[in-house]
Amino acid sequence: MHPDFSHDQHLLARPDQQIFWQRLTRRDSQSGRRLLMLHGAGVAGTLTWAPLIGHLTAHDELIIPDLRGMGQTVALEGGEPSFTLEQVVEDVMALIETQRITHFDLIGYSFGGLVAMRLAQRLRHERPDVRIGDISLLEPALLERECHSTMLKVREGYAEAAHAMREAASPEAGIIAFLDLISPHRTRNPRAERMMVTRLAHRHLGFANALDCVTHAVHEIDRDVLLADVMAAGGEVRSMVGGKSPETLREYHGLLAERHAGWQSLEIPGTDHSLPFQKPRRIGAELSFE
């Protein structure tokens, strides 16, 4: 994946899934820091994080799983069964346990940001022997706006997009509806638009399941308790948002930084929700703090 790292691939057997994951180890190891990297809905770990890897300097080991419904992780029964947030988190916890991982930094993008927060919360209460260092969240689901009731209404649009992906002859209309919700101010370059749609259509049913997974979690999770546990679970928390992302999202992350000591909010100019694809060098520099 990158010449500075050796690279190996593995499968983790779960009761109903084969979880594909990768380990990258820096050839000239220095710090010993490990980074667990959780991708977003509809895209695999490799596709999400490969542009970033060459810009990481602070971490010597990278752990990159493919979450349920995405990448090379597959259901044992075949098809694309629905899943819950807790199942996804338990997959990652099983990976941590089987590999005897006791300390790591954590990054999560979009859906993976929600998984990262819930993972931090559960590890804090269930596995206090596992130490999380710094937590980086790239436009995480559940933190899209301050008003919770408004966020619930917005999630109805995501549920409609997921329904369209499943029921229409082609998933394209549902994917475009999702993009209009998540990145309404994106640059609609035809080539870039086609690339995004093609990328998200690769496993469109798994993508739809991930959207529904988030919608269900938004109704079930106490966000204030979650945020308090995330702040208590690790070191510094930094969220990164796109400068072209909706104002309500950017304002809420600014408020989180004002309200919580140890929370830093960074706005990445010229980007929208696709910020890890658009500005990997800048994000890599932010992750390479000492």
Side-chain angles (χ1 to χ4, degrees):
M1 192 181 292
H2 192 277
D4 290 345
F5 292 85
S6 62
H7 176 211
D8 49 73
Q9 303 178 350
H10 306 272
L11 291 175
L12 172 67
R14 299 284 290 143
D16 60 340
Q17 296 271 317
Q18 286 275 22
I19 307 298
F20 175 82
W21 66 280
Q22 304 173 77
R23 187 199 314 270
L24 280 72
T25 307
R26 191 178 299 277
R27 299 184 190 280
D28 183 19
S29 180
Q30 297 178 0
S31 70
R33 288 175 67 179
R34 178 185 293 115
L35 181 63
L36 175 60
M37 310 177 77
L38 305 179
H39 62 78
V43 291
T46 296
L47 187 60
T48 302
W49 301 121
L52 189 64
I53 289 171
H55 304 297
L56 298 174
T57 60
H59 296 90
D60 289 336
E61 183 178 312
L62 311 177
I63 303 292
I64 306 176
D66 282 351
L67 304 178
R68 288 187 180 221
M70 288 154 278
Q72 297 183 60
T73 287
V74 295
L76 296 181
E77 64 187 46
E80 296 283 11
S82 62
F83 50 83
T84 67
L85 176 63
E86 299 311 311
Q87 287 177 305
V88 179
V89 171
E90 285 162 9
D91 292 339
V92 182
M93 291 179 69
L95 175 59
I96 290 169
E97 182 175 357
T98 58
Q99 296 304 303
R100 300 179 181 178
I101 295 172
T102 59
H103 63 281
F104 59 92
D105 295 331
L106 178 61
I107 183 171
Y109 166 51
S110 192
F111 172 62
L114 173 58
V115 176
M117 290 189 290
R118 181 60 175 143
L119 174 69
Q121 182 179 46
R122 287 193 56 177
L123 288 176
R124 177 172 183 257
H125 292 285
E126 300 173 30
R127 290 289 309 276
D129 56 308
V130 176
R131 180 174 60 83
I132 301 178
D134 295 311
I135 299 174
S136 299
L137 304 170
L138 309 183
E139 295 211 356
L142 198 69
L143 305 186
E144 295 145 336
R145 60 196 64 219
E146 181 181 19
C147 178
H148 192 260
S149 60
T150 302
M151 189 173 65
L152 292 178
K153 292 179 182 178
V154 171
R155 291 308 313 183
E156 294 175 5
Y158 289 96
E160 291 172 3
H163 179 76
M165 288 180 215
R166 291 192 182 94
E167 301 300 326
S170 165
E172 182 170 337
I175 292 170
I176 291 174
F178 163 79
L179 292 173
D180 288 343
L181 286 166
I182 203 79
S183 299
H185 308 304
R186 69 190 184 278
T187 302
R188 297 174 189 257
N189 175 283
R191 182 174 179 273
E193 194 87 349
R194 172 52 53 189
M195 185 180 300
M196 283 191 290
V197 171
T198 300
R199 186 169 64 208
L200 293 171
H202 177 63
R203 287 181 66 177
H204 67 279
L205 295 178
F207 178 31
N209 287 338
L211 294 182
D212 285 343
C213 171
V214 174
T215 297
H216 178 77
V218 166
H219 285 83
E220 298 295 322
I221 288 178
D222 186 318
R223 187 169 65 177
D224 291 336
V225 173
L226 176 67
L227 289 172
D229 280 331
V230 170
M231 293 300 302
E236 181 178 87
V237 178
R238 60 179 61 198
S239 59
M240 302 185 208
V241 300
K244 296 168 66 176
S245 290
E247 185 177 2
T248 49
L249 182 150
R250 292 182 283 114
E251 287 181 347
Y252 181 44
H253 283 258
L255 288 173
L256 289 172
E258 292 176 8
R259 293 170 180 170
H260 300 280
W263 187 295
Q264 182 182 8
S265 178
L266 303 172
E267 187 172 308
I268 310 297
T271 66
D272 53 34
H273 188 71
S274 296
L275 66 168
F277 304 100
Q278 296 166 338
K279 292 290 181 73
R281 182 185 298 273
R282 170 66 191 277
I283 294 170
E286 296 294 347
L287 290 174
S288 296
F289 52 85
E290 296 295 335

